[in-house]
Amino acid sequence: MDKKTIIVTGGAGFIGSNFVYYMLDKYPNYRIACLDALTYAGNLSTLKKAMENPNFRFVKADIRDKDAVEQLFEEEHPDIVVNFAAESHVDRSIRDPKLFLETNILGPEVLMDACRKYGVKRYHQVSTDEVYGDLPLDRPDLFFTEKTPLHASSPYSASKASADLVVMAYHRTYGLPVTISRCSNNYGPYHFPEKLIPLMIINALNDKPLPVYGDGLNVRDWLYVEDHCKAIDMIIHADCVGEVYNVGGHNEKSNIEIVKLILKELGKPESLIEFVEDRKGHDRRYAIDPTKIREQLGWEPETKFENGIVKTIKWYLDHKDWWEEIISGDYKNYYEKMYGDK
Ligand code: NAD
Ligand code: DAU
């Protein structure tokens, strides 16, 4: 593979950091420059190992900061930009929508303007299946395809859907070489403890209640994070400018199934489950049809859920330092505000 320089934004977060490690490992001759604002969700300790690699560079900056973004493009002359940076948690978007609209819509605009200015050959927007809204539980025959109309429910998903529209507008209006991936729920190492799977693992380990929203029957389509990284790698190297790809592994599970599985793996009692007030506007079911990426790019998920979840639980058991530092900091205040009144 020819030498390439890739700017990865949001690389100190969950999926971005997994992508950084995936790419450094797979392409020893690539340069990876990570730009991340280190919000509450970004953690520099996650990138400690990457920092030892001479092909890796970290820059602390906000994707909305035009000067900082342009300076990095000037210094690195990237071939490809992959944008993971976003406010990503639905519950936080319900409490504070403005930050989501600013980061998730205006951030991509700044990045794409820089891509135009510096002639970047590919801008890849990491989007989500949430842009399609939700599906009913009683129609298991329905799936999201790339042709499903955008129909976002939460301020988070509305901000991601808006960004997708702006990305496609930059392609049509300015001819910017863009691609978009819309992936289902990821799980795996470095997942921030506010999200369902890591939250439940950590609470169970600490014998704390496991807060399940509503009836616990909402369904998510879970994909091991490395399979998502592989999909993005394939898309950014393929001749597919202007295309949108859905990414998912047909692995639908209800929240209560996930929670019970985690308790069983950890040998903890189901009496720890606590049904709490539902999320406002809670999407019922997500389910991705990944036919297009499989047929056009040959992508297939490699990790089966039964193995991925065991690997993930083991990772949290082996990396207590990583999450103990998080749950004892600012996140503690969020947790008290979020669950204290439920
Ligand atoms: P995350 O919250 O774990 O990480 C987000 C990262 O972006 C953090 O490192 C944070 O510091 C950084 N960031 C936030 N605002 C920034 C800004 N203004 N400038 C620079 N950096 C900023 O998120 P994640 O779960 O890793 O998700 C990454 C991307 O993938 C997001 O765009 C999300 O919408 C999308 N996505 C996530 C999932 C999932 O299941 N987690 C699934 C599909 C798509
Ligand atoms: O589908 C992709 C999306 O997946 C991404 O775009 C988002 O960035 C990512 O956060 C994720 O969104 P979800 O809302 O699906 O993930 P979360 O982990 O917050 O919740 C998963 C399900 O679990 C959802 O139905 C709500 C429920 N839940 C969540 C929490 C945090 C609970 O029942 N209790 C909880 O405490």
Side-chain angles (χ1 to χ4, degrees), residues 14 26 160 166 231:
F14 165 43
K26 182 160 176 200
K160 294 295 288 185
V166 180

PDB file of all heavy atoms in Angstrom, residues 14 26 160 166 231:
ATOM      1  N   PHE A  14     -14.069   6.343  21.959  1.00  0.00           N
ATOM      2  CA  PHE A  14     -14.220   4.886  21.881  1.00  0.00           C
ATOM      3  C   PHE A  14     -13.848   4.336  20.489  1.00  0.00           C
ATOM      4  O   PHE A  14     -12.842   3.623  20.323  1.00  0.00           O
ATOM      5  CB  PHE A  14     -15.665   4.541  22.266  1.00  0.00           C
ATOM      6  CG  PHE A  14     -16.129   3.161  21.929  1.00  0.00           C
ATOM      7  CD1 PHE A  14     -15.309   2.051  22.152  1.00  0.00           C
ATOM      8  CD2 PHE A  14     -17.405   2.956  21.396  1.00  0.00           C
ATOM      9  CE1 PHE A  14     -15.770   0.767  21.846  1.00  0.00           C
ATOM     10  CE2 PHE A  14     -17.856   1.687  21.097  1.00  0.00           C
ATOM     11  CZ  PHE A  14     -17.034   0.588  21.306  1.00  0.00           C
ATOM     12  N   LYS A  26      -2.283  -2.197  10.937  1.00  0.00           N
ATOM     13  CA  LYS A  26      -2.447  -2.746   9.578  1.00  0.00           C
ATOM     14  C   LYS A  26      -1.550  -2.062   8.548  1.00  0.00           C
ATOM     15  O   LYS A  26      -1.136  -2.684   7.569  1.00  0.00           O
ATOM     16  CB  LYS A  26      -3.922  -2.627   9.174  1.00  0.00           C
ATOM     17  CG  LYS A  26      -4.186  -3.220   7.811  1.00  0.00           C
ATOM     18  CD  LYS A  26      -5.625  -3.558   7.570  1.00  0.00           C
ATOM     19  CE  LYS A  26      -5.789  -4.049   6.125  1.00  0.00           C
ATOM     20  NZ  LYS A  26      -7.155  -3.958   5.664  1.00  0.00           N
ATOM     21  N   LYS A 160     -26.751  14.327  13.754  1.00  0.00           N
ATOM     22  CA  LYS A 160     -25.980  13.445  12.863  1.00  0.00           C
ATOM     23  C   LYS A 160     -26.640  13.399  11.471  1.00  0.00           C
ATOM     24  O   LYS A 160     -25.950  13.387  10.455  1.00  0.00           O
ATOM     25  CB  LYS A 160     -25.889  12.030  13.446  1.00  0.00           C
ATOM     26  CG  LYS A 160     -25.092  11.915  14.743  1.00  0.00           C
ATOM     27  CD  LYS A 160     -23.621  12.233  14.587  1.00  0.00           C
ATOM     28  CE  LYS A 160     -22.844  11.166  13.843  1.00  0.00           C
ATOM     29  NZ  LYS A 160     -21.382  11.470  13.822  1.00  0.00           N
ATOM     30  N   VAL A 166     -25.377  17.792   5.068  1.00  0.00           N
ATOM     31  CA  VAL A 166     -24.365  18.794   4.698  1.00  0.00           C
ATOM     32  C   VAL A 166     -23.219  18.114   3.929  1.00  0.00           C
ATOM     33  O   VAL A 166     -22.718  18.645   2.931  1.00  0.00           O
ATOM     34  CB  VAL A 166     -23.833  19.535   5.957  1.00  0.00           C
ATOM     35  CG1 VAL A 166     -22.787  20.570   5.564  1.00  0.00           C
ATOM     36  CG2 VAL A 166     -24.973  20.212   6.716  1.00  0.00           C
ATOM     37  N   ALA A 231     -14.701  -1.912   8.346  1.00  0.00           N
ATOM     38  CA  ALA A 231     -15.611  -1.380   7.317  1.00  0.00           C
ATOM     39  C   ALA A 231     -15.136  -0.001   6.851  1.00  0.00           C
ATOM     40  O   ALA A 231     -15.089   0.287   5.650  1.00  0.00           O
ATOM     41  CB  ALA A 231     -17.031  -1.296   7.877  1.00  0.00           C
TER      42      ALA A 231
END
